[in-house]
Amino acid sequence: MKRPLLLLALLSSLIVQSQSFVLEEFASGLTSPVEITNANDSRLFVVQQNGIIKIIQPNGTVNAADFLNISSKITFNGERGLLGLAFHPQYLTNGYFFVYYNNTEGNIIVARYSVNSTNPNTADPNSEKIILNIPKPFDNHNGGSIHFAPDGNLWIVTGDGGSSGDPNNNAQNKNSLLGKLLRLDINSTGPYNIPAGNPFVGIDGADEIWSYGLRNAWKFSFDLPTGNAMIADVGQGLFEEINRMPITQAGINYGWRCYEGNNTYNATGCAASSTMTFPVAVYDHSGNKCSITGGYVYRGTQNPGLQGKYFFADYCSSQIGMMDANNSISWTTPFTGNNFSTFGQNNLNELYVAAVNNGKIYKITTTTLGVQDATFSQIRVYPNPASERIFVEGLKDKNSVAEIFSTEGRKVLDETKFDFENSINITGIPAGVYYINIKSGDLKSYSQKIIIK
């Protein structure tokens, strides 16, 4: 029996409209689910961190037989285990799928497997073909999200190698495959080929690299209608970030370890900030937040009120966030008892979310109350550059407050209410580049870079 977990209206005081959605329990009894995907049919495939992939039928029934069990090949503890799954674009004809896991030595392995030739609900565990084997210096920050892009190439996100602060600076080292987004042509007789267009071929880095400067991107996805890649990167200790960039743009430096979010972390030996790409949205660790779980832009048809919103979660606070096209963030109140580890789509682009701690899969669906939240829908911060005062146009919640941070992460303006003109006084703040964060209660925020002259 499917049942709603909780109905949550994303509201703060004096918001005129609301966006409500329900988490409907879809399946249970799973062990440490960390990925949900589909093979272009009505089944859901759930990756369990313990090395087992399970199939969920459209009615929520979990198949008794494992699709794949490679538990003997993996290290399952902490952040390590079986972490990613992607089906080949021609899976229905060639039966190939790819997995990402930590082997018994802790190395990152990307491998190809084949479905059983006589049973589509099981795979051939003896069909493994190793694609990548990347040594890791520490046991955390394993990345693990893999997807096929529209061009047919396999994209792979790796963590920076682990430990605190990326001590080896792997993310900025273009000769290391750690802390990177890799792009491989796996349609080859060997392990893989290097696709045309990879930016560092024959120049100054590993040929496999598409972009770099990631700490531990815990899930990325493609939003095909806009042609963007959405990357959620877990922060060091202060900020979590969301990146959105065109799928076609190569060679991007996302900034870690030089920057955590928009703020300087360790600038030793770093290139100019103008050569880096900063996130479109960040959030801090207030309210027990600690670690972002990336998701998807909703592109299904069953819930039109959610269309175009990017869904993500925070692992520690048990909250789900929605980011609008203008990069404003709405948070639910906590879904207590759920540490959200992954989102996923079925073949109709409907969204699901999993909790790693209780083994439950929920479907995201709206109620009859679902309409667009207008708190930050038409917001504009001006002038920019600014002096003396900053104005905000389109602010719906008159109780909103603003805070301003330097690029080093120092708060130069504490939570300040807007006056009757929806403005704040910035006299006394030295000229420079800053980030303004506008909050509406504890559940909504909007951030933007500003220049004070």
Side-chain angles (χ1 to χ4, degrees):
M1 172 71 71
K2 300 175 184 177
R3 58 187 183 276
L5 171 68
L6 187 60
L7 171 63
L8 290 166
L10 298 178
L11 295 170
S12 46
S13 58
L14 300 183
I15 294 176
V16 176
Q17 302 181 69
S18 69
Q19 175 63 66
S20 302
F21 68 87
V22 166
L23 292 190
E24 182 180 85
E25 186 173 320
F26 181 71
S28 61
L30 297 150
T31 301
S32 302
V34 290
E35 183 65 287
I36 305 169
T37 190
N38 70 85
N40 203 29
D41 59 35
S42 61
R43 300 170 296 172
L44 286 181
F45 291 75
V46 177
V47 173
Q48 298 185 154
Q49 197 177 352
N50 64 357
I52 296 172
I53 299 175
K54 304 294 289 187
I55 291 177
I56 305 178
Q57 298 296 335
N59 63 358
T61 301
V62 181
N63 284 10
D66 301 330
F67 177 68
L68 179 69
N69 185 338
I70 56 170
S71 55
S72 63
K73 294 177 179 281
I74 73 162
T75 298
F76 170 39
N77 58 45
E79 297 180 15
R80 297 185 291 188
L82 177 59
L83 303 175
L85 168 65
F87 290 91
H88 193 283
Q90 282 77 53
Y91 174 73
L92 294 181
T93 55
N94 65 24
Y96 293 153
F97 64 94
F98 296 76
V99 295
Y100 183 115
Y101 65 88
N102 297 107
N103 68 7
T104 53
E105 298 176 348
N107 292 357
I108 291 171
I109 301 293
V110 177
R112 190 190 79 186
Y113 280 87
S114 297
V115 70
N116 189 309
S117 60
T118 60
N119 184 352
N121 287 322
T122 61
D124 179 359
N126 299 313
S127 63
E128 183 177 54
K129 174 185 176 181
I130 301 294
I131 304 298
L132 282 177
N133 184 332
I134 307 173
K136 282 187 77 268
F138 303 99
D139 61 4
N140 58 339
H141 299 185
N142 293 284
S145 193
I146 59 177
H147 293 280
F148 279 92
D151 61 8
N153 292 310
L154 182 64
W155 287 33
I156 302 161
V157 73
T158 62
D160 65 12
S163 192
S164 176
D166 190 7
N168 298 319
N169 203 14
N170 290 314
Q172 289 297 310
N173 179 2
K174 294 196 288 291
N175 292 304
S176 168
L177 297 185
L178 297 171
K180 307 297 189 298
L181 188 56
L182 311 177
R183 178 176 177 257
L184 306 180
D185 173 6
I186 47 71
N187 296 305
S188 63
T189 54
Y192 59 87
N193 291 327
I194 301 299
N198 276 19
F200 304 115
V201 176
I203 304 176
D204 63 345
D207 293 350
E208 295 87 347
I209 296 172
W210 180 253
S211 57
Y212 64 108
L214 295 167
R215 182 179 178 273
N216 187 31
W218 187 246
K219 305 304 177 182
F220 82 94
S221 63
F222 295 125
D223 181 31
L224 297 184
T226 60
N228 290 323
M230 308 293 300
I231 306 171
D233 200 10
V234 177
Q236 175 66 30
L238 295 175
F239 299 101
E240 309 298 304
E241 68 177 64
I242 299 170
N243 298 281
R244 180 182 59 232
M245 289 303 296
I247 296 171
T248 55
Q249 189 166 341
I252 294 170
N253 181 357
Y254 289 103
W256 174 254
R257 71 177 183 179
C258 305
Y259 291 86
E260 179 190 12
N262 294 316
N263 300 276
T264 302
Y265 179 78
N266 183 344
T268 303
C270 290
S273 62
S274 59
T275 66
M276 302 179 186
T277 296
F278 288 86
V280 296
V282 297
Y283 69 86
D284 61 27
H285 287 181
S286 60
N288 297 317
K289 299 181 184 72
C290 81
S291 181
I292 192 169
T293 295
Y296 293 80
V297 176
Y298 179 78
R299 296 298 179 187
T301 59
Q302 295 180 7
N303 307 291
L306 304 179
Q307 191 66 219
K309 297 178 184 295
Y310 175 69
F311 279 78
F312 63 99
D314 188 85
Y315 179 85
C316 294
S317 71
S318 300
Q319 293 172 274
I320 290 177
M322 291 195 307
M323 185 178 75
D324 287 335
N326 73 338
N327 306 327
S328 62
I329 291 174
S330 302
W331 288 102
T332 67
T333 52
F335 289 96
T336 304
N338 291 274
N339 297 122
F340 295 119
S341 54
T342 189
F343 290 78
Q345 293 176 311
N346 67 9
N347 63 317
L348 300 176
N349 295 325
E350 299 302 328
L351 281 183
Y352 298 79
V353 63
V356 69
N357 60 311
N358 60 27
K360 293 183 178 182
I361 308 292
Y362 302 99
K363 185 176 182 180
I364 295 173
T365 184
T366 53
T367 71
T368 55
L369 298 177
V371 293
Q372 184 175 356
D373 188 333
T375 306
F376 294 141
S377 61
Q378 302 296 327
I379 199 166
R380 184 171 73 94
V381 178
Y382 70 96
N384 194 9
S387 60
E388 297 186 358
R389 306 196 74 80
I390 286 179
F391 295 81
V392 178
E393 182 181 280
L395 193 64
K396 303 297 182 183
D397 181 6
K398 299 302 181 182
N399 291 323
S400 295
V401 296
E403 52 190 3
I404 296 177
F405 293 87
S406 70
T407 55
E408 291 78 31
R410 181 172 56 89
K411 187 181 288 189
V412 299
L413 181 71
D414 209 347
E415 294 188 357
T416 300
K417 275 196 169 186
F418 292 90
D419 63 17
F420 69 98
E421 294 181 303
N422 281 350
S423 74
I424 54 173
N425 188 338
I426 57 172
T427 56
I429 300 177
V433 178
Y434 297 88
Y435 294 89
I436 185 170
N437 189 32
I438 303 170
K439 293 183 176 180
S440 174
D442 293 329
L443 304 182
K444 303 190 71 63
S445 65
Y446 175 87
S447 59
Q448 180 181 317
K449 180 186 289 187
I450 58 172
I451 297 172
I452 295 178
K453 61 182 181 179

